[in-house]
């Protein structure tokens, strides 16, 4: 096997004795945004360039694709993606794995259990499932569908349609944008039933961005971050103008190009603000049920790829989940991002992302300060550890148990500073890092 990049003991590497924290972490980072700031400000972490040896690499997926199979990594080394992360984060593969998992549940646990996976819209991959799509399309004439490229982000290449003619027009080069012409030659699209009855606040559509950190797939170990945000469109919702991206797409990359976008105000609510709003309107009990259903989306989507993701002890993944609520307060999984945007759209957004990334590094624990038995680390709560985790000291028998409470706190007050001061106190005999 070719070993283009060797990661091994070299200058600056210190053999860590059991129970002793590592005092110097060498890191590389390919992104120039919040994560670079967080890494550079972390005590005891030193940035290395070019082909220098490293202990921690916040890499992009392109580097991973080209290099993962050709490097040797020491035990302690960590990188920020699993080898085939795309099984969950490419729109077509996510749906394929969820459909397969739902069939498995129906076969092994019955229809009632399989129905708990009905949290994603009817979706078809084009062109390979075109005929199946046409059959479904004809069953519900007049309904709205949304077309998305499977591997792009920030709303690029997306459009809504109601007629098969619109698909045919799209396939002709003359009616596609330059951006679409370049991409559709080499990638597939998904056609998805559009959620025509989204929950609106102030007449505007929004979706949720929630962060889930997976540190292992075998066994599955997943953490849920307390903070997140709702991303709003700036234009009031209407189905009469399906060509208006400012109405239907909540991506900040789209909204910030709107003529009336105000960078000071932005287009986001913090998750705590949204939870308070929903509780005031619908009552705490109904909102608790909603957030339990959202927890179920995280767990079942991860379980759907657990057997296909190549687990590797060197890897972790910070996923950005996009969840849409409909008028009945049913949550829908729209997509999962392997590289959620770490570029801040405001000072408040910058601070949230700094906290998120600092706590991600705390969980990954390159310094070796944790015991491995923690259920809260900063803003992260352990949601699944080879089984559901409860606030009590026993495991839940099943997701949604009525007798025990799941260890998730999405949208609650984040007491991370107090918790981290207690958690990261040096162990006896350790120096403070």
């Amino acid at each position: 096997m070719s070993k283009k990049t060797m990661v091994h003991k070299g200058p600056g590497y210190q053999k860590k004795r059991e129970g002793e924290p590592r005092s110097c972490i060498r890191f590389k980072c390919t992104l120039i945004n919040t994560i670079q700031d967080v890494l550079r400000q972390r005590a005891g972490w030193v940035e290395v360039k070019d082909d220098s040896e490293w202990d921690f690499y916040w890499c992009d997926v392109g580097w991973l694709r080209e290099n993962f199979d050709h490097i040797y990594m020491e035990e302690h080394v960590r990188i920020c993606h699993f080898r085939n992360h795309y099984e969950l984060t490419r729109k077509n593969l996510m749906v394929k794995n969820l459909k397969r998992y739902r069939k498995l549940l129906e076969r092994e646990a019955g229809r009632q259990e399989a129905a708990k996976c009905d949290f994603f819209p009817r979706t078809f991959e084009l062109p390979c499932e075109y005929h199946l799509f046409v059959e479904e399309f004809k069953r519900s004439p007049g309904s709205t569908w949304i077309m998305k490229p499977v591997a792009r982000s920030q709303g690029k290449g997306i459009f809504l349609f109601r007629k098969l003619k619109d698909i045919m027009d799209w396939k002709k080069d003359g009616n596609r944008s330059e951006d679409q012409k370049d991409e559709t030659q080499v990638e597939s699209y998904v056609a998805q039933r559009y959620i025509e009855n989204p929950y609106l606040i102030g007449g505007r559509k929004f979706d949720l961005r929630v962060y889930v950190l997976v540190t292992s797939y075998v066994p599955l170990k997943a953490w849920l971050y307390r903070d997140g945000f709702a991303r709003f469109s700036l234009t009031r919702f209407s189905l009469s103008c399906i060509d208006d991206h400012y109405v239907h797409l909540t991506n900040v990359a789209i909204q910030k190009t709107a003529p009336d976008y105000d960078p000071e105000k932005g287009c986001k609510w913090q998750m705590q603000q949204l939870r308070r709003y929903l509780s005031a309107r619908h009552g705490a009990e109904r909102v608790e049920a909603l957030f339990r259903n959202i927890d179920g989306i995280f767990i079942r989507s991860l379980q759907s790829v657990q057997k296909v993701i190549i687990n590797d002890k060197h890897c972790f993944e910070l996923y950005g989940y996009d969840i849409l609520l409909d008028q009945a307060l049913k949550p829908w999984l729209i997509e999962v991002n392997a590289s959620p945007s770490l570029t801040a759209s405001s000072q408040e957004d910058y601070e949230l992302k700094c906290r998120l990334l600092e706590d991600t590094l705390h969980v990954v624990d390159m310094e070796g300060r944790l015991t491995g038995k923690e259920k809260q680390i900063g803003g992260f709560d352990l949601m699944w550890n080879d089984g559901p985790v409860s606030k009590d000291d026993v495991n839940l028998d099943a997701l949604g148990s009525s007798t025990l409470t799941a260890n998730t706190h999405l949208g609650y007050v984040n007491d991370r500073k107090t918790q981290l001061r207690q958690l990261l106190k040096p162990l006896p005999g350790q120096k403070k890092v």
Side-chain angles (χ1 to χ4, degrees):
M1 178 183 286
S2 166
K3 290 190 171 83
K4 294 189 290 186
T5 306
M6 295 295 291
V7 181
H8 53 75
K9 300 173 189 176
Y13 176 80
Q14 297 174 322
K15 180 71 175 174
K16 187 174 85 71
R17 291 194 296 272
E18 191 68 33
E20 179 186 328
R22 188 174 286 108
S23 60
C24 176
I25 311 295
R26 301 161 301 171
F27 76 86
K28 288 184 76 173
C29 180
T30 54
L31 305 180
I32 306 173
N33 54 30
T34 313
I35 181 59
Q36 191 177 65
D37 295 346
V38 169
L39 289 166
R40 285 176 173 173
Q41 292 165 14
R42 196 166 179 86
W45 287 51
V46 178
E47 188 171 11
V48 296
K49 303 283 189 181
D50 304 322
D51 293 330
S52 303
E53 291 161 358
W54 45 270
D55 307 305
F56 180 95
Y57 195 177
W58 198 284
C59 63
D60 56 44
V61 294
W63 180 91
L64 189 83
R65 186 169 53 246
E66 293 172 14
N67 295 283
F68 190 91
D69 291 334
H70 308 293
I71 61 174
Y72 167 74
M73 289 183 278
E74 292 282 356
E75 181 86 13
H76 70 287
V77 167
R78 294 292 181 271
I79 58 176
C80 66
H81 294 293
F82 286 92
R83 175 67 181 85
N84 59 337
H85 60 86
Y86 46 78
E87 291 286 351
L88 183 59
T89 58
R90 282 180 75 103
K91 299 174 186 70
N92 57 334
L93 295 179
M94 179 190 83
V95 171
K96 175 186 170 185
N97 284 309
L98 283 168
K99 286 179 178 177
R100 179 180 45 76
Y101 183 64
R102 186 168 58 189
K103 285 181 182 176
L104 176 70
L105 283 178
E106 185 169 351
R107 197 164 57 245
E108 295 185 351
R111 287 187 177 181
Q112 192 172 354
E113 193 64 27
K116 294 177 182 177
C117 283
D118 289 337
F119 50 70
F120 57 99
R122 293 299 301 268
T123 305
F124 299 89
E125 183 176 355
L126 303 185
C128 65
E129 293 182 328
Y130 180 77
H131 295 296
L132 289 172
F133 160 68
V134 170
E135 286 179 26
E136 179 67 23
F137 183 90
K138 289 179 177 177
R139 287 193 196 106
S140 51
S143 59
T144 309
W145 291 76
I146 187 166
M147 192 83 151
K148 305 175 184 178
V150 301
R152 279 192 273 173
S153 58
Q154 300 184 326
K156 293 173 184 171
I158 294 178
F159 62 94
L160 277 63
F161 66 96
R162 291 197 180 114
K163 299 175 182 175
L164 286 177
K165 173 181 171 294
D166 297 334
I167 297 284
M168 303 312 294
D169 287 347
W170 161 78
K171 288 168 73 174
K172 297 172 187 172
D173 281 354
N175 289 316
R176 286 183 287 167
S177 67
E178 289 302 314
D179 185 33
Q180 288 172 322
K181 284 181 193 178
D182 291 341
E183 294 292 338
T184 51
Q185 318 263 327
V186 294
E187 69 175 350
S188 300
Y189 272 63
V190 291
Q192 193 170 71
R193 275 292 290 268
Y194 186 63
I195 306 297
E196 296 181 325
N197 62 333
Y199 191 99
L200 305 177
I201 296 179
R204 290 167 175 81
K205 180 182 172 181
F206 66 93
D207 68 359
L208 311 183
R209 166 56 59 88
V210 187
Y211 297 99
V212 173
L213 175 64
V214 175
T215 50
S216 168
Y217 269 99
V218 183
L220 180 59
K221 190 169 186 178
W223 302 76
L224 176 62
Y225 204 60
R226 295 185 177 194
D227 290 340
F229 48 85
R231 304 177 299 185
F232 284 81
S233 63
L234 292 172
T235 308
R236 293 179 71 85
F237 182 79
S238 169
L239 284 173
S240 63
C241 48
I242 63 172
D243 294 329
D244 190 340
H245 281 187
Y246 297 132
V247 171
H248 300 285
L249 304 185
T250 58
N251 312 69
V252 175
I254 298 287
Q255 294 297 327
K256 70 181 182 181
T257 65
D260 54 346
Y261 178 76
D262 182 349
E264 291 293 317
K265 292 181 180 178
C267 51
K268 293 179 179 179
W269 273 14
Q270 297 299 307
M271 194 66 73
Q272 287 91 341
Q273 185 180 359
L274 178 70
R275 186 158 191 152
R276 285 196 302 269
Y277 175 89
L278 292 174
S279 297
R281 285 205 64 187
H282 303 285
E285 191 174 327
R286 192 171 176 198
V287 173
E288 280 290 338
L290 163 65
F291 278 77
R292 278 199 304 273
N293 289 337
I294 294 174
D295 290 347
I297 290 177
F298 302 141
I299 295 304
R300 292 181 182 96
S301 61
L302 294 173
Q303 288 175 326
S304 76
V305 297
Q306 186 178 6
K307 291 184 178 178
V308 294
I309 292 284
I310 301 168
N311 190 61
D312 190 300
K313 63 187 176 184
H314 300 101
C315 303
F316 66 94
E317 194 91 43
L318 179 64
Y319 293 109
Y321 273 76
D322 292 344
I323 307 288
L324 180 73
L325 308 183
D326 68 17
Q327 289 172 2
L329 283 186
K330 174 181 170 64
W332 296 88
L333 175 60
I334 303 303
E335 63 181 87
V336 185
N337 297 272
S339 302
S341 173
L342 300 177
T343 301
S345 58
S346 66
Q347 183 60 32
E348 186 178 43
D349 196 40
Y350 179 78
E351 290 168 5
L352 182 153
K353 286 173 179 172
C354 282
R355 295 192 299 267
L356 166 73
L357 293 166
E358 286 167 6
D359 291 346
T360 297
L361 299 180
H362 291 322
V363 174
V364 174
D365 191 29
M366 292 296 297
E367 297 91 347
R369 292 178 289 184
L370 305 179
T371 65
K373 297 179 180 178
E374 291 81 5
K375 292 165 78 171
Q376 181 189 353
I377 300 175
F380 276 109
D381 297 295
L382 185 60
M383 174 171 53
W384 193 271
N385 189 17
D386 202 22
V389 179
S390 76
K391 290 179 185 175
D392 311 288
D393 289 329
V394 291
N395 269 4
L396 293 163
D397 292 325
L399 221 74
S401 167
S402 58
T403 55
L404 296 171
T405 309
N407 187 47
T408 53
H409 304 81
L410 181 61
Y412 282 116
V413 173
N414 190 347
D415 61 347
R416 61 182 294 275
K417 283 189 177 180
T418 304
Q419 198 270 341
L420 286 170
R421 271 198 296 270
Q422 293 296 318
L423 183 68
L424 300 180
K425 281 181 178 177
L427 298 171
Q430 282 188 353
K431 292 180 182 178
K432 187 174 181 180
V433 178

